[in-house]
Amino acid sequence: MEVLMCIICGFLFSAATYLMLSKSILRIIIGTGLLSHGAHLLILTMGGLKNGAAPLLGEHAKWYVDPLPQALILTAIVISFGVTSFFLVLAYRSYQELGTDDMDQLRGNDYE
Amino acid sequence: MNNLIILPIIIPLFTAIILIFFNKNIKVQKWISAIASFAGIIISSVIVQRVHESGIQTLAVGNWKAPYGIVLVADMYSSLLVLTTSIIAFTSLLFAFSTISHDREKFFFYPGVQFLILGVSGAFLTGDLFNLFVFFEVMLMSSYLLLVLGSRKIQLQESIKYILVNVISSALFVIAVAYLYAVTGTLNMADLSVRISEMGQSGYITVLAILFLIVFGLKGAIFPLFFWLPGSYQAPPTVVTALFGALLTKVGVYSITRVYTLIFYHDPSFTHQILAWLAALTIIFGAIGAIAFWDIKKIVIYNIITAVGVILFGIAANTPEAVEGSVYYLIHDMIIKGALFLLVGVIIAITGTSHLRKFSGLIASHPFLGWMFFIAALSLAGIPPFSGFVGKLKIVQGGFEAGEYTIAFIVLMSSLLVLYSVMKIFIHGFWGEPKEELLVQKKSPKGLLIPIVILIALTTAYGLGVEWISPYISQAADTLLDPTIYIQAVLKE
């Protein structure tokens, strides 16, 4: 199970890298979203998966997964959600203001 | 257990929340944020004194004991940095009161500043790697806001790049944390240190050390990773640049220092050697940038990069002298960068341009400003009576002791180049005939000079009162050099 999850993480990372290397801002934002998804899955996997057990330690629990990674990704998901929405709004606003979403045309900073 | 040390985090948080409710009433916002940040200075001085008298203060949040729960730790290093942060915040706010335009004030400028301070103080005080990530994000989120506020074209354009770089580095941070958790099973810094010293620094841990160096190096702008900094720091108003230059990069530097002295210190011939050479290259490239540009804002921005290199070389040399020197230099640099950016802000307010070839002869009409700038320039380069000298001296001395002759020599040479780069501003901007075509405002900007005078007085006092300050600094260096002090304070309570 962990091996499968690691392959999925790697796939997400490579897709994210591909998207972030493109020119359009929207693709880049989708790329960052995939990147943080990959990172979250990686945290979950790194804590160990234990075949679908719940993170509860009762007296008769055969398995229990480590609850800490779940708490960590909960925080990380909220943060990446906030950053992605800010990024989307910024991309829209700068499309209005600068008239382009092509990163090639946003090179340099010679406005002044 | 000491509840006092959560106050530098709680106060800006509540202040920011209260300020949001007063977003129409700017006068109230100004008063509240000034009072809150002044309270921050008082509280952090109390914390520094408390740490000095009775050792490292810790707070287990929610009373969950150290390796399991979230823990806040104030050792001398972090509490000194929190104190400097609140001083910078207070003076920058004083400066912002008269320079920030009404539009920005209306759109949550002051709450943004408070959230930034919350993130920075939190990052200094936390004793847990994941909370370091969370406070980094709080700080970055408010820096995005401050960077883009005003939405001029250049700000929008630079914000996109800045956010992209930081999103990627945050993802790398999460990945590094995940791997470290898989290898060690803990994220509490003291506990990590114990476990790694028990199981030895294997190859995995060394790789992770480099991964953390990349993550924090992106935030702290070390050699190959500083490319984003000059552009994005140039875009916002100078007071925001002052906050960023004095605080944001220093958080990256603080984090590198923390993990390299507390957690990954077992394989210095590899990790610390890489750090030393990256620091040297950072110094060289920063100095080249500072010399090459004719834009005063850019010159000072590149000086941030040079200073980061100098501080990190002190950590990499890893001798008692060098570490002490780098603590000296870090605090000096925060104060002086704040002062320099505010001075640049005043110059831009007077002349309306930041390009050095477009104005000259300012000293005729603004002698006081000229002298302030002169002192700041000397202090930045490390001329003896001012504060940069002691730190740099100790770093170079420690570098020689550690046998890093080449890099220590580079640090020495960089002083000359830094001096040249700021003296260029002085010679071309302040001396010479005043240019006629430029509309120089004759009214002297008195209100703007108050925060600068405070900072310059501080840097002078810091330089002259070294003897009085040195017990505090050496206590900070002792904790950095001997991780067991930190571990004892956090885990044995």
Side-chain angles (χ1 to χ4, degrees):
Chain A
M1 190 64 178
E2 273 89 350
V3 176
L4 181 66
M5 290 291 273
C6 286
I7 293 171
I8 293 173
C9 291
F11 181 73
L12 283 174
F13 286 145
S14 47
T17 314
Y18 174 75
L19 281 172
M20 283 191 298
L21 290 174
S22 58
K23 282 181 189 171
S24 144
I25 291 184
L26 213 52
R27 277 165 177 262
I28 291 175
I29 296 175
I30 294 171
T32 60
L34 287 183
L35 186 72
S36 40
H37 274 309
H40 301 153
L41 277 184
L42 191 70
I43 284 198
L44 198 61
T45 316
M46 287 295 143
L49 293 171
K50 308 272 176 22
N51 289 330
L56 294 170
L57 176 60
E59 274 181 36
H60 305 294
K62 264 187 185 166
W63 291 301
Y64 67 97
V65 292
D66 190 350
L68 190 67
Q70 310 205 355
L72 298 186
I73 59 165
L74 187 61
T75 318
I77 285 172
V78 173
I79 288 170
S80 78
F81 179 68
V83 174
T84 310
S85 49
F86 186 89
F87 206 172
L88 277 169
V89 173
L90 179 76
Y92 180 63
R93 184 80 174 80
S94 55
Y95 174 70
Q96 282 181 324
E97 198 77 24
L98 305 165
T100 176
D101 71 336
D102 187 343
M103 285 306 272
D104 259 359
Q105 293 173 21
L106 296 178
R107 276 187 192 179
N109 46 7
D110 315 319
Y111 279 105
E112 283 158 317
Chain B
M1 289 288 276
N2 184 352
N3 284 324
L4 198 64
I5 64 173
I6 204 172
L7 284 180
I9 300 171
I10 291 282
I11 289 178
L13 175 65
F14 282 119
T15 313
I17 292 170
I18 291 167
L19 287 181
I20 290 173
F21 289 109
F22 286 103
N23 80 315
K24 292 284 187 302
N25 194 340
I26 285 157
K27 207 163 188 186
V28 175
Q29 280 200 40
K30 284 180 178 172
W31 273 104
I32 293 177
S33 49
I35 291 168
S37 52
F38 193 73
I41 296 182
I42 293 170
I43 283 161
S44 39
S45 337
V46 173
I47 292 175
V48 168
Q49 197 55 35
R50 189 71 64 84
V51 173
H52 186 59
E53 279 159 7
S54 46
I56 297 174
Q57 304 288 313
T58 60
L59 172 66
V61 180
N63 219 0
W64 289 88
K65 287 293 172 233
Y68 307 109
I70 293 168
V71 63
L72 297 176
V73 185
D75 66 339
M76 190 43 108
Y77 188 47
S78 49
S79 50
L80 277 176
L81 290 178
V82 169
L83 175 61
T84 323
T85 303
S86 40
I87 291 171
I88 298 287
F90 181 66
T91 43
S92 307
L93 274 173
L94 283 188
F95 193 82
F97 289 158
S98 40
T99 52
I100 288 296
S101 66
H102 192 67
D103 292 346
R104 290 195 170 98
E105 283 177 330
K106 238 176 18 194
F107 285 100
F108 307 110
F109 175 80
Y110 296 117
V113 173
Q114 293 294 332
F115 277 125
L116 185 80
I117 296 160
L118 154 70
V120 172
S121 314
F124 288 147
L125 286 174
T126 179
D128 181 301
L129 269 181
F130 194 78
N131 280 294
L132 185 62
F133 165 73
V134 173
F135 282 118
F136 260 97
E137 287 303 315
V138 172
M139 175 186 98
L140 288 173
M141 208 56 188
S142 31
S143 75
Y144 304 152
L145 169 76
L146 293 178
L147 190 61
V148 83
L149 208 57
S151 27
R152 279 153 59 233
K153 282 185 176 179
I154 180 169
Q155 283 181 309
L156 288 167
Q157 187 184 336
E158 290 305 320
S159 298
I160 289 175
K161 299 168 195 165
Y162 178 75
I163 293 179
L164 185 58
V165 167
N166 279 308
V167 166
I168 293 171
S169 89
S170 298
L172 274 178
F173 197 168
V174 175
I175 292 166
V177 163
Y179 283 137
L180 195 61
Y181 187 72
V183 176
T184 61
T186 180
L187 289 175
N188 182 293
M189 289 197 233
D191 201 24
L192 272 173
S193 178
V194 173
R195 296 212 186 171
I196 289 176
S197 61
E198 274 167 5
M199 66 195 201
Q201 186 158 349
S202 56
Y204 295 120
I205 304 285
T206 307
V207 170
L208 280 172
I210 300 298
L211 196 54
F212 274 106
L213 181 63
I214 294 171
V215 171
F216 297 138
L218 258 169
K219 312 254 150 97
I222 63 172
F223 155 62
L225 308 168
F226 66 78
F227 55 88
W228 54 272
L229 187 134
S232 39
Y233 279 23
Q234 191 198 12
T238 36
V239 58
V240 177
T241 315
L243 276 171
F244 284 12
L247 303 179
L248 287 197
T249 49
K250 302 308 179 289
V251 177
V253 173
Y254 164 81
S255 311
I256 293 179
T257 312
R258 184 58 87 202
V259 298
Y260 270 59
T261 54
L262 182 64
I263 303 174
F264 306 116
Y265 61 94
H266 301 284
D267 190 9
S269 61
F270 185 73
T271 49
H272 288 56
Q273 198 63 35
I274 287 184
L275 186 60
W277 280 105
L278 287 181
L281 288 168
T282 311
I283 294 169
I284 293 171
F285 278 81
I288 291 175
I291 288 169
F293 282 96
W294 281 85
D295 183 294
I296 47 176
K297 225 173 171 179
K298 278 243 157 121
I299 293 174
V300 183
I301 285 171
Y302 273 97
N303 273 316
I304 300 177
I305 299 172
T306 315
V308 166
V310 173
I311 299 162
L312 285 180
F313 172 61
I315 295 302
N318 207 15
T319 64
E321 290 291 330
V323 171
E324 199 172 315
S326 105
V327 178
Y328 268 114
Y329 202 78
L330 179 53
I331 294 166
H332 146 79
D333 193 61
M334 286 169 82
I335 297 173
I336 201 66
K337 285 287 140 57
L340 269 175
F341 277 113
L342 298 187
L343 278 165
V344 167
V346 175
I347 293 174
I348 293 176
I350 291 171
T351 62
T353 175
S354 64
H355 201 279
L356 208 47
R357 294 214 166 123
K358 288 187 185 149
F359 67 91
S360 62
L362 271 186
I363 202 151
S365 49
H366 300 87
F368 189 65
L369 177 69
W371 285 110
M372 285 291 120
F373 193 88
F374 186 66
I375 295 174
L378 290 188
S379 184
L380 179 73
I383 305 293
F386 303 108
S387 61
F389 174 68
V390 191
K392 214 168 239 179
L393 177 75
K394 290 213 171 220
I395 288 174
V396 171
Q397 190 185 345
F400 281 129
E401 273 170 19
E404 302 276 6
Y405 298 105
T406 328
I407 306 177
F409 187 69
I410 291 174
V411 173
L412 277 179
M413 290 310 291
S414 79
S415 290
L416 280 181
L417 298 180
V418 165
L419 186 63
Y420 169 72
S421 74
V422 272
M423 277 302 140
K424 188 165 83 176
I425 303 180
F426 196 76
I427 290 170
H428 293 272
F430 285 95
W431 287 353
E433 289 294 306
K435 287 210 171 131
E436 290 300 323
E437 66 266 38
L438 196 78
L439 279 171
V440 173
Q441 290 175 2
K442 287 291 174 199
K443 82 172 174 62
S444 72
K446 282 219 173 63
L448 296 183
L449 284 176
I450 296 169
I452 298 173
V453 171
I454 296 174
L455 287 175
I456 297 284
L458 262 179
T459 166
T460 318
Y462 186 61
L464 294 175
V466 166
E467 207 169 322
W468 183 73
I469 297 168
S470 67
Y472 295 87
I473 305 278
S474 55
Q475 192 185 353
D478 286 345
T479 320
L480 290 180
L481 287 162
D482 186 4
T484 49
I485 302 175
Y486 188 95
I487 294 164
Q488 289 259 325
V490 177
L491 293 182
K492 305 268 162 54
E493 236 194 347

